[in-house]
Amino acid sequence: MAEIKLTRRMFLASSLAAGALRSVPVVVKAPPVKRVLTLVYDKSLGMMRAIDQVVP
């Protein structure tokens, strides 16, 4: 399998796109809640990863 070079800009763009697609149906059904997205550098993966938290 070919290794894909994932830059920080590409990671942020793909994370925002995935979050937008996932949250659109939820907005219609559920009452508003605050979502906190935190980006952290994971040394074991060697790249940034997103932690998504729902705050009441």
Side-chain angles (χ1 to χ4, degrees), residues 28-54:
V28 175
K29 298 178 185 175
V33 294
K34 185 175 180 183
R35 300 180 71 91
V36 178
L37 180 66
T38 306
L39 295 175
V40 294
Y41 184 77
D42 192 340
K43 289 182 181 178
S44 64
L45 294 175
M47 59 186 264
M48 301 287 285
R49 69 182 179 101
I51 300 174
D52 191 17
Q53 297 175 331
V54 178

Side-chain angles (χ1 to χ4, degrees), residues 1 3 5-6 15 23 26 28 30 32 35 42-44 48 50:
M1 187 185 300
E3 184 176 335
K5 292 282 186 175
L6 187 63
S15 297
S23 65
V26 175
V28 175
R35 300 180 71 91
D42 192 340
K43 289 182 181 178
S44 64
M48 301 287 285

Side-chain angles (χ1 to χ4, degrees), residues 10-32:
M10 292 292 290
F11 174 77
L12 289 174
S14 61
S15 297
L16 290 174
L21 287 175
R22 187 178 64 183
S23 65
V24 169
V26 175
V27 171
V28 175
K29 298 178 185 175

